[in-house]
Amino acid sequence: MSDIKLCLEALSALSGCTVEATTGSSQLTSQDFVNIVALKEFYKQEGFKELEYPSLGTLSLQDLENQDMYSAPPALTHGPVSASLKPTIKINTQDFFHPQYDYDFTNIKDGDKVFMRGNEKYVRPCGWKRIALRVEQKYEDGDSWLGTGNNAWPVSYHGHNMDGSLGIIITHDGPPDDEPNFLDAGAAALRNPDTRGRGVYSTPDIKMAEKYCKTFKYSVDGKTYKVVLQNRINPQKRKSCQREGVWLVYIPEGSTNLQEKAIIEKSLRPYGLLIKQE
């Protein structure tokens, strides 16, 4: 089993909460952590300062501590920063983690090898260490989403600061130009709410996720680590963005808090916590 304390601090960094071990029942599931990370980034896009989450209460969206070189600018909000304290989350590490499926990719280089998940290319997280999450038999529709067959969902990485803020949909790499296709795509994105970029972003490219990932300083050794969530994404619930290698789970205008949470739960499922020393 990996260093439990390091894993707990990685989860703390991702969620903005204080995550501690318990011998009792876990307060949150691994799906809850994906929900929290995704909703916090989405709410920051929307200009909110706080997120209300069931059983936790109010979570501040201000991430002013331990800013790292990959951090996006804080959300533009009015008024003072929320004084909410970090909630404490208790998890039973034996029920939460699944060491049988841990995998150390630290020194692995795949080169030209091709791996597939759900009939789509799987870019393995080479250079990272994966701590597996116990997710088997946790969903009503079974475990086929987690497999390697035709019914499996593709792999998706969620970086802490991946939010698009519309621009990831209607911009492209390189300097702006007057290319008609680009301008037409931008105009269409502004007209069509389904391409407006409102929702949760992830990527099949671990290198892109690393650019936006959360970093934290481990209290034991003082070293800085990166952390990313490794998920599977429902191919029926994602939208491809104009920028290659970016997927959007669209959240319609007017969705309630419960509907937003439900959309994420139907679209993104976690199975690995990725950690890498900076």
Side-chain angles (χ1 to χ4, degrees), residues 21-237:
T22 181
T23 55
S25 300
S26 293
Q27 186 179 355
L28 296 181
T29 66
S30 54
Q31 181 66 56
D32 284 312
F33 278 93
V34 173
N35 295 347
I36 289 169
V37 173
L39 285 171
K40 285 182 73 173
E41 294 307 312
F42 170 62
Y43 272 50
K44 283 197 292 184
Q45 276 186 74
E46 295 294 291
F48 294 108
K49 295 181 291 185
E50 295 176 337
L51 164 70
E52 291 288 335
Y53 196 81
S55 79
L56 288 182
T58 302
L59 301 177
S60 173
L61 303 185
Q62 302 298 312
D63 188 20
L64 303 179
E65 296 179 5
N66 303 319
Q67 287 288 326
D68 52 76
M69 64 184 293
Y70 300 116
S71 292
L76 296 177
T77 55
H78 300 287
V81 175
S82 170
S84 302
L85 297 175
K86 286 184 179 181
T88 297
I89 299 173
K90 302 281 189 178
I91 65 169
N92 185 313
T93 56
Q94 291 187 339
D95 292 338
F96 194 88
F97 298 112
H98 205 168
Q100 175 185 349
Y101 296 105
D102 287 357
Y103 202 96
D104 191 351
F105 291 94
T106 303
N107 298 310
I108 291 180
K109 296 182 179 179
D110 283 339
D112 295 330
K113 295 180 182 177
V114 176
F115 299 86
M116 305 293 289
R117 295 291 184 272
N119 290 325
E120 295 188 23
K121 185 177 179 181
Y122 165 36
V123 180
R124 300 203 302 175
C126 296
W128 297 73
K129 188 171 185 179
R130 182 177 69 206
I131 295 85
L133 306 178
R134 195 175 294 275
V135 293
E136 290 181 328
Q137 300 179 3
K138 299 290 186 181
Y139 296 91
E140 292 182 356
D141 56 356
D143 294 330
S144 61
W145 64 276
L146 190 59
T148 59
N150 293 339
N151 293 328
W153 292 5
V155 174
S156 166
Y157 299 103
H158 191 89
H160 174 73
N161 287 307
M162 284 197 72
D163 68 39
S165 300
L166 180 66
I168 212 167
I169 290 284
I170 64 171
T171 61
H172 61 173
D173 294 329
D177 56 35
D178 294 328
E179 180 184 343
N181 290 340
F182 170 62
L183 296 177
D184 289 345
L190 293 174
R191 291 194 303 269
N192 183 355
D194 284 351
T195 59
R196 196 172 292 164
R198 186 180 193 272
V200 176
Y201 291 85
S202 62
T203 176
D205 184 354
I206 182 60
K207 292 183 178 179
M208 179 178 289
E210 184 173 358
K211 292 178 181 179
Y212 295 91
C213 75
K214 178 69 177 178
T215 66
F216 67 99
K217 186 170 288 187
Y218 185 27
S219 63
V220 173
D221 60 16
K223 296 178 181 177
T224 299
Y225 291 82
K226 302 175 182 179
V227 56
V228 166
L229 285 171
Q230 185 176 29
N231 311 309
R232 297 294 185 97
I233 189 167
N234 187 336
Q236 305 301 318
K237 299 293 183 180

Side-chain angles (χ1 to χ4, degrees), residues 243-254:
R243 182 174 296 175
E244 184 178 357
V246 179
W247 289 331
L248 169 72
V249 173
Y250 176 66
I251 299 180
E253 289 276 3

